Amino acid sequence: MSEAMLSKVRKLLAKAEDPACTPAESAAFTAKATELIARYGVDRALLAARDPATDPVGDRVVDVVAPYARDKAGLLAAVADPLRCRCVRQARGDGFALHLFGFASDLERVDLLFTSLLVQAAHGLSGTAVPAGEHPAAFRRSWLAGFARVVGERLRAAEAGAVAERDGPSVALVLADRSDRVARRVTEVYPRLRTAPVRRLAGTGFGAGAEAGRRADLGGRGVVDGAGGRGIAR
């Protein structure tokens, strides 16, 4: 992402996080930051359709560590999928290695958002009391599931909005082709992939996590190397 775009997104999020902002103003700043990131993804896709060398398909590995490694991996998947990236989860010690596949610009967007959302989730959990009589880990796992679900829905809506602005079938075709190319790369590297079974959670924190996901800033504060996973409350 260009420095000019990063600067604009950072300024919007700084305004959104200002305590003097009303909830409505904060939501407006956050929505604008999300919109800019979505537009950037579409713009890069269209540029690459004309000059493929500007945005090649690539991959990277993100280590997700305990505590709550499985839940953080779920958050990464919730961010990656709407941004047209695919991830393969592999056990590594007490955490996971997430092998991400996607076009360079989309992998960059996933890095940006996931790093920010990990921090926001940690802050949200630390400020949420576990109900009396409930197991803390079960509550926090369900909280993180709710957070990830809503974040994924918001990102999908922002991407759809950016595509609709272009108002042309060629855009959808370009993006579909990119998704197909990423899927083919995954199959080349992992020809015998299995789908993980649906996870069942017992905690009651889903609703609180979902509400935090609705408030989350979907813009991030910088691109890092993905060594994250620390900081979620135990």
Side-chain angles (χ1 to χ4, degrees):
M1 187 174 293
S2 69
E3 283 302 317
M5 178 69 77
L6 273 176
S7 176
K8 188 176 293 186
V9 169
R10 285 171 176 153
K11 287 177 181 177
L12 285 165
L13 294 178
K15 292 177 180 178
E17 294 164 4
D18 188 335
C21 263
T22 67
E25 289 170 338
S26 180
F29 288 132
T30 300
K32 185 61 178 178
T34 308
E35 177 187 327
L36 288 175
I37 288 177
R39 285 178 177 173
Y40 171 80
V42 173
D43 288 345
R44 286 299 303 270
L46 294 176
L47 176 62
R50 296 190 297 270
D51 185 1
T54 64
D55 198 17
V57 178
D59 67 295
R60 63 186 63 180
V61 175
V62 178
D63 289 321
V64 181
V65 300
Y68 305 111
R70 190 180 299 272
D71 309 284
K72 296 169 189 171
L75 176 59
L76 178 55
V79 172
D81 188 62
L83 304 189
R84 296 178 290 281
C85 293
R86 297 280 299 276
C87 58
V88 177
R89 191 183 72 194
Q90 299 172 307
R92 178 176 290 180
D94 60 355
F96 295 95
L98 278 295
H99 196 170
L100 286 175
F101 295 83
F103 283 81
S105 62
D106 294 329
L107 290 171
E108 184 181 30
R109 295 193 299 153
V110 171
D111 263 349
L112 180 74
L113 290 166
F114 178 60
T115 301
S116 173
L117 289 166
L118 271 181
V119 174
Q120 294 180 58
H123 290 162
L125 272 177
S126 66
T128 303
V130 177
E134 183 158 0
H135 193 284
F139 176 83
R140 288 170 181 147
R141 288 189 183 102
S142 60
W143 189 100
L144 287 164
F147 183 84
R149 169 79 66 82
V150 170
V151 161
E153 291 171 351
R154 290 179 61 195
L155 289 173
R156 202 173 299 281
E159 292 292 307
V163 172
E165 283 185 352
R166 294 290 183 169
D167 193 28
S170 61
V171 179
L173 290 173
V174 166
L175 297 180
D177 178 67
R178 283 165 71 91
S179 295
D180 287 345
R181 289 175 62 186
V182 172
R184 289 198 298 270
R185 177 64 66 85
V186 174
T187 301
E188 290 171 2
V189 179
Y190 297 101
R192 294 186 177 88
L193 269 183
R194 293 180 298 171
T195 301
V198 176
R199 193 177 181 207
R200 300 186 183 280
L201 298 171
T204 64
F206 188 93
E211 182 56 35
R214 293 184 187 97
R215 297 191 302 265
D217 291 332
L218 302 186
R221 289 193 173 278
V223 177
V224 299
D225 61 7
R230 301 180 179 85
I232 299 294
R234 293 179 182 273

